[in-house]
Amino acid sequence: MKIFHISDLHIGKQLHLFDIAVVQRTILEQIVEKAKEYRPDVIVIAGDIYDKSAPSGEAFHLFDAFLNALGDIEPMIPVLIIAGNHDNHLRLNYASSFLEKHHIYISASLPKSEDDHLKKIVLKDMYGEVNFYLLPFTRIADGKNLYGSKKEIQTYEDAVNAMLEREDIDYTQRNVLVAHQFFVKGKSQPNRRESELKYISIGGIDSVDVACVENFDYVALGHIHSSQSIGQPYIRYSGTPLKYSVSEAGDVKSITAVTLRDKGKEIELEFLPLEMKPDVRKIKGMLEDVIALAREDNRDDFVSITLTDEKVPYKAKERLQEFYSNILEVSVENSRTEAMFQQDVADKIGEDPIELFGDFYQEMNNTPMSEREQQVLTNIVNKLLQ
């Protein structure tokens, strides 16, 4: 069985306040063309369809056009979709009963009663059945709401484990899990990008160890923006299909194409590249050298520019805008800025670590730590200093 695994479309997202709806449309069109070419047996979208819980009309239209284009492919390819932490389950679930008649299966809500279960889709290939379990983004509260006082749910890992254990999965069969969580392997964490960092809880309190999903034959993950495996080759994040931050400038975005054969056989992975145009690039050098790099085929790229001139020319950004249409940021890196950075670091040495972290917390969350959070942090720091 050939599976197309994508995630984190973030339809409606901006790039440094630039509207990139046209870029998103071209990427989605490329995915449709790849589906026509490679004819997967199923397409899995592992959460964060939209960037906001209340998507714009344009975002709805863009995703609707994408699903329609996939639905026009013959023979029809089933599409399995789960909700991520950015998605509103009511909006994503709209018209899901109608969509299932067209082999588009959406799982936006988690079980809320003993009789309710995860959505399970069974598909067949030459080796028999493959069970797809759809697990939307799961929080601690979801586990507590389902189990009440019957089961102690204190962590995200407890909640995910509880959701899966009650499914009574037969692991002698071939099973695929579609999930949208922050999975780790012990102390090993996935590589993260700037575009996702503010959505990952400080300290990794929302982490889930891969031990609870290792019995699946493939785990199609969303939530992390760079393509990578975690713990095992068959537990994978597909990453975003396009670049949503400067930190992703060097990434090669792709569709993760998975071939699942008979039970016990290793999966086969292929990465089908997607071309973002205009692209996201980093450019570093002296002003005149950076200007000289501008060409007709790259002047519309989204660029992050670092100038290394010892004396930055007057109105440097205005000069650059004559040659680059979409400048994300302009920074300066020379002996003066390096000395300022070294002095800033030196000034921080010896400062109260709790105050420093408090400043960092406020900057990341736009709100100060609560008294309870400050006490927890104080206890941790005191233990480290003992």
Side-chain angles (χ1 to χ4, degrees):
M1 180 170 291
K2 178 162 283 188
I3 304 165
F4 267 20
H5 169 199
I6 59 175
S7 73
D8 295 86
L9 307 182
H10 287 283
I11 296 173
K13 187 175 179 65
Q14 294 184 325
L15 178 61
H16 282 238
L17 302 181
F18 283 95
D19 184 347
I20 56 171
V22 172
V23 182
Q24 290 179 320
R25 182 179 294 109
T26 59
I27 290 292
L28 295 176
E29 288 171 352
Q30 287 180 50
I31 294 171
V32 172
E33 290 306 310
K34 294 289 186 186
K36 291 178 180 177
E37 179 182 356
Y38 287 86
R39 299 285 172 167
D41 298 293
V42 60
I43 297 173
V44 166
I45 309 178
D48 279 357
I49 309 306
Y50 299 107
D51 189 57
K52 293 181 171 61
S53 59
S56 66
E58 183 182 24
F60 272 119
H61 178 74
L62 186 52
F63 188 54
D64 179 66
F66 176 55
L67 291 182
N68 273 306
L70 290 176
D72 287 340
I73 299 173
E74 294 182 357
M76 192 171 287
I77 302 170
V79 180
L80 314 184
I81 302 168
I82 64 167
N85 56 303
H86 281 240
D87 297 312
N88 179 295
H89 73 276
L90 292 175
R91 288 185 170 91
L92 188 60
N93 211 40
Y94 178 73
S96 60
S97 298
F98 171 79
L99 291 172
E100 285 196 8
K101 296 177 182 178
H102 298 272
H103 302 282
I104 297 172
Y105 303 90
I106 298 175
S107 180
S109 302
L110 288 156
K112 293 180 174 60
S113 68
E114 290 185 7
D115 298 327
D116 198 8
H117 288 271
L118 296 179
K119 182 165 286 188
K120 175 184 174 183
I121 307 299
V122 181
L123 302 177
K124 292 183 178 181
D125 64 7
M126 62 184 294
Y127 300 104
E129 294 182 341
V130 179
N131 306 309
F132 288 81
Y133 290 88
L134 309 186
L135 177 68
F137 183 68
T138 304
R139 298 175 173 86
I140 296 171
D142 297 313
K144 289 185 174 181
N145 289 340
L146 179 60
Y147 282 92
S149 60
K150 296 178 182 178
K151 197 176 187 73
E152 186 174 9
I153 309 289
Q154 297 295 330
T155 66
Y156 279 73
E157 187 171 316
D158 290 341
V160 170
N161 262 319
M163 291 291 174
L164 293 176
E165 286 171 359
R166 65 192 299 276
E167 294 304 314
D168 194 25
I169 299 169
D170 182 357
Y171 288 106
T172 65
Q173 299 179 4
R174 291 181 298 163
N175 300 294
V176 174
L177 176 67
V178 185
H180 189 97
Q181 302 286 153
F182 180 48
F183 277 92
V184 300
K185 174 66 173 178
K187 294 183 178 180
S188 177
Q189 297 187 3
N191 296 320
R192 289 174 282 174
R193 293 291 184 253
E194 180 185 293
S195 57
E196 75 206 69
L197 282 176
K198 63 180 178 179
Y199 304 114
I200 305 294
S201 297
I202 292 173
I205 60 172
D206 56 353
S207 64
V208 179
D209 198 279
V210 295
C212 65
V213 298
E214 286 182 326
N215 288 328
F216 285 90
D217 297 275
Y218 184 68
V219 182
L221 295 176
H223 201 35
I224 299 300
H225 288 189
S226 58
S227 176
Q228 60 193 292
S229 61
I230 179 72
Q232 300 289 348
Y234 59 88
I235 304 175
R236 284 201 66 87
Y237 290 101
S238 66
T240 54
L242 66 156
K243 302 170 185 180
Y244 282 123
S245 70
V246 172
S247 63
E248 297 167 64
D251 289 1
V252 177
K253 298 299 183 177
S254 63
I255 300 167
T256 302
V258 185
T259 301
L260 190 65
R261 301 198 184 277
D262 201 3
K263 182 72 178 180
K265 301 291 185 181
E266 287 189 12
I267 61 166
E268 297 174 16
L269 293 171
E270 186 178 2
F271 304 99
L272 311 178
L274 298 168
E275 182 183 10
M276 182 171 174
K277 198 66 179 174
D279 202 356
V280 176
R281 293 190 296 127
K282 292 181 181 179
I283 308 175
K284 183 177 180 179
M286 297 180 69
L287 177 64
E288 295 304 324
D289 294 333
V290 171
I291 289 174
L293 292 173
R295 303 188 308 272
E296 193 61 36
D297 65 341
N298 69 15
R299 63 176 292 126
D300 291 329
D301 285 350
F302 299 98
V303 292
S304 168
I305 298 172
T306 302
L307 297 177
T308 58
D309 304 72
E310 283 300 320
K311 185 177 180 181
V312 179
Y314 179 63
K315 291 189 175 181
K317 186 172 182 180
E318 285 80 351
R319 284 279 318 276
L320 290 166
Q321 286 174 330
E322 296 175 18
F323 300 90
Y324 294 98
S325 306
N326 300 313
I327 297 177
L328 301 177
E329 58 189 5
V330 177
S331 60
V332 176
E333 187 177 303
N334 54 27
S335 58
R336 182 177 59 85
T337 58
E338 177 65 20
M340 291 172 61
F341 173 76
Q342 295 294 341
Q343 184 59 49
D344 186 57
V345 171
D347 290 343
K348 298 293 184 188
I349 296 174
E351 287 192 22
D352 184 348
I354 295 173
E355 289 185 10
L356 286 173
F357 187 84
D359 293 341
F360 170 73
Y361 184 97
Q362 170 121 13
E363 183 176 344
M364 294 298 293
N365 295 279
N366 208 24
T367 185
M369 288 192 295
S370 66
E371 289 186 11
R372 182 177 177 277
E373 288 169 332
Q374 290 182 34
Q375 186 58 54
V376 170
L377 179 61
T378 300
N379 293 339
I380 292 171
V381 171
N382 289 338
K383 285 184 180 179
L384 292 172
L385 294 177
Q386 286 177 357

